[in-house]
Amino acid sequence: MLRYLTAGESHGKALMGIIEGLPAGVFIDKQRIDHDLARRQQGYGRGGRMKIEKDQIEVLSGIRGGVTTGSPVAYLIMNRDYENWQEGMDPFQGDVNYKRVSHPRPGHADLTGMLKYGLSDVRPILERSSARETAARVAAGSIARQLLNVFGVQAASHVIQIGQAALENQSISFDQLAEAELSPVRCISKTTEEAMIEVIDEAKAAGDSLGGIVEVRVKGLPRGLGSHVQWDRKLDTQLAAALMSIQAIKGVEIGDGFLSATKPGSQVHDEIYYSEKNGYYRMTNHAGGIEGGMSNGEELVVRCAMKPIPTLMKPLNTVDIDTHESYEAVKERSDTCAVPAAAVVAELVTVFTLAQAFMEVFGKDSLEEMRRCWKPLR
Ligand SMILES: Cc1cc2nc3c(=O)[nH]c(=O)nc-3n(C[C@H](O)[C@H](O)[C@H](O)COP(=O)(O)O)c2cc1C
């Protein structure tokens, strides 16, 4: 079973991860992981924190000579900002009252986390619930991507909407998504990019924040990942759960998703064809590459809705946890809009989830054996 755990706090020494279940013999390029980490850090609308950090992975185990050994891969991503926070964040010497937070933010884990864990300070909750954690998830996905690439699976992401600024023509080919890499908002249309930047600027000037919609696409996925036989083995179950676990993601749709609820079946289901050369195929892909909880060999299309960032520079009302009097919520340095970064996180979280499903069907202890047994369904 391929799985991973992360650890680390936003202003702690480092983010960490342990990946277990990778086959031996996969060549891992560190630069490609650092490249994905850098992609996550970009995006118009981010706050000052991303100017401090320059994320790079340090692998501690499970890789020798650039190749996986089959042992757990443990890694770190150091927080440069830690040197400004060591006084409060050092696990043994840190002052626990350092930058205590007593005004929990609506829309964050602050209030319920503090009550649930019996704390009298929001700080420990804020530190762990922060989306800084997604750096560790991106690294895990980036490593998993290098396994899937061996079998011809490729993933990409882009931003469809920020606030009210939305991409008009959403029928885009996989290859067009490369253009998103050049856009500060990860949008493939220059006109929409300008509109997105404008709405972000307006939100920032108003001390407000914005969410949006991102799309992840995966091509080259073999048929038969996931299974219809049990609810928790369905590929759409697994993708929805993993994507909903990303901070601020509040909706996940596969293929036509919510739109399909408004159309008759004749316009939603993808008719089946067969050719001697390519086997079974479809002319349309409303299902987004999954039917009955299994990948059907078409491109995977998944969209995620991100809510606006909860930390507002013009803060919402809250209550002081000591006096219970009304107060403004804390405003710690924050992004105005992190939708472009969320697209990268969603892409790599999708990749890891697919790698898990891939290992379930085609997994062996070594890549060599996987290659030997590799026989995708036609
Ligand atoms: C890439 C990314 C960056 C984020 N940056 C911030 C931020 O700077 N400030 C903030 O308050 N929330 C930020 N968030 C969202 C919060 O982490 C999230 O809303 C919070 O943890 C509560 O979880 P929930 O929204 O899933 O309920 C970010 C989310 C993502 C995916």
Side-chain angles (χ1 to χ4, degrees):
M1 187 173 75
L2 177 63
R3 58 191 169 147
Y4 77 111
L5 281 177
T6 72
E9 275 94 31
S10 181
H11 300 99
K13 206 167 191 172
L15 278 314
M16 288 144 270
I18 296 183
I19 309 173
E20 207 236 4
L22 283 168
V26 184
F27 180 80
I28 302 292
D29 182 347
K30 177 185 175 331
Q31 280 182 4
R32 288 184 61 194
I33 308 168
D34 289 340
H35 175 67
D36 278 330
L37 290 171
R39 289 170 73 226
R40 190 201 72 94
Q41 288 196 267
Q42 287 156 16
Y44 194 82
R46 306 292 314 262
R49 177 72 189 273
M50 287 306 116
K51 292 192 181 86
I52 300 173
E53 302 300 340
K54 192 170 183 315
D55 292 344
Q56 293 199 328
I57 193 165
E58 185 184 338
V59 174
L60 305 177
S61 72
I63 297 179
R64 283 193 82 194
V67 178
T68 57
T69 61
S71 303
V73 173
Y75 57 89
L76 298 174
I77 300 154
M78 302 306 286
N79 279 327
R80 284 190 172 189
D81 210 9
Y82 177 66
E83 66 179 53
N84 304 317
W85 285 77
Q86 192 166 356
E87 199 185 326
M89 295 303 291
D90 183 289
F92 294 105
Q93 263 90 52
D95 170 4
V96 288
N97 292 316
Y98 183 80
K99 298 204 182 181
R100 177 174 182 262
V101 175
S102 55
H103 302 153
R105 294 160 299 174
H108 234 291
D110 299 3
L111 179 62
T112 308
M114 182 200 71
L115 295 171
K116 178 176 163 67
Y117 286 89
L119 305 171
S120 52
D121 178 5
V122 172
R123 171 66 54 198
I125 302 300
L126 174 165
E127 286 292 331
R128 179 60 186 158
S129 63
S130 158
R132 177 90 189 111
E133 184 260 354
T134 58
R137 289 208 246 179
V138 164
S142 189
I143 290 170
R145 192 208 295 273
Q146 301 193 35
L147 165 66
L148 288 185
N149 284 170
V150 174
F151 297 92
V153 181
Q154 285 178 42
S157 61
H158 69 132
V159 172
I160 285 183
Q161 186 164 342
I162 292 180
Q164 291 297 316
L167 198 58
E168 265 178 33
N169 178 8
Q170 296 188 7
S171 58
I172 298 146
S173 73
F174 185 90
D175 294 338
Q176 273 179 283
L177 298 184
E179 291 166 36
E181 300 301 319
L182 309 171
S183 163
V185 284
R186 293 192 71 75
C187 179
I188 62 146
S189 150
K190 276 276 159 217
T191 325
T192 318
E193 174 185 295
E194 280 168 27
M196 287 174 171
I197 289 175
E198 204 175 307
V199 291
I200 294 171
D201 286 343
E202 281 166 12
K204 189 169 185 185
D208 217 328
S209 64
L210 283 178
I213 301 175
V214 306
E215 183 176 76
V216 178
R217 302 259 287 267
V218 184
K219 76 168 190 182
L221 209 55
R223 278 195 180 93
L225 300 191
S227 173
H228 66 291
V229 303
Q230 200 56 262
W231 67 271
D232 59 346
R233 292 182 58 194
K234 295 183 183 209
L235 189 60
D236 37 6
T237 303
Q238 293 163 356
L239 284 168
L243 289 164
M244 284 290 273
S245 80
I246 300 171
Q247 292 81 341
I249 297 301
K250 294 296 145 197
V252 175
E253 68 173 11
I254 295 175
D256 284 359
F258 279 80
L259 185 66
S260 65
T262 66
K263 291 183 174 176
S266 55
Q267 291 173 32
V268 169
H269 304 300
D270 306 301
E271 291 179 310
I272 301 172
Y273 300 91
Y274 184 84
S275 80
E276 279 305 322
K277 189 170 167 250
N278 299 316
Y280 296 104
Y281 69 96
R282 316 294 172 103
M283 303 285 273
T284 54
N285 186 20
H286 298 295
I290 300 182
E291 288 170 307
M294 293 168 283
S295 59
N296 65 4
E298 300 299 314
E299 202 173 280
L300 180 76
V301 183
V302 192
R303 279 186 217 97
C304 302
M306 182 183 195
K307 75 181 188 185
I309 299 284
T311 309
L312 302 184
M313 290 307 120
K314 200 170 162 206
L316 295 173
N317 284 336
T318 189
V319 167
D320 183 287
I321 57 171
D322 301 318
T323 64
H324 297 166
E325 280 170 14
S326 267
Y327 252 96
E328 285 187 344
V330 63
K331 49 175 182 183
E332 198 147 279
R333 190 175 45 211
S334 178
D335 301 325
T336 304
C337 171
V339 177
V344 176
V345 178
E347 175 187 317
L348 277 309
V349 163
T350 298
V351 167
F352 195 91
T353 309
L354 293 175
Q356 287 178 303
F358 191 92
M359 285 300 290
E360 185 92 15
V361 179
F362 299 107
K364 299 278 178 229
D365 295 324
S366 74
L367 184 64
E368 200 187 322
E369 207 184 341
M370 281 177 77
R371 274 207 175 107
R372 226 182 4 251
C373 303
W374 168 241
K375 197 167 173 255
L377 296 169
R378 262 167 52 90

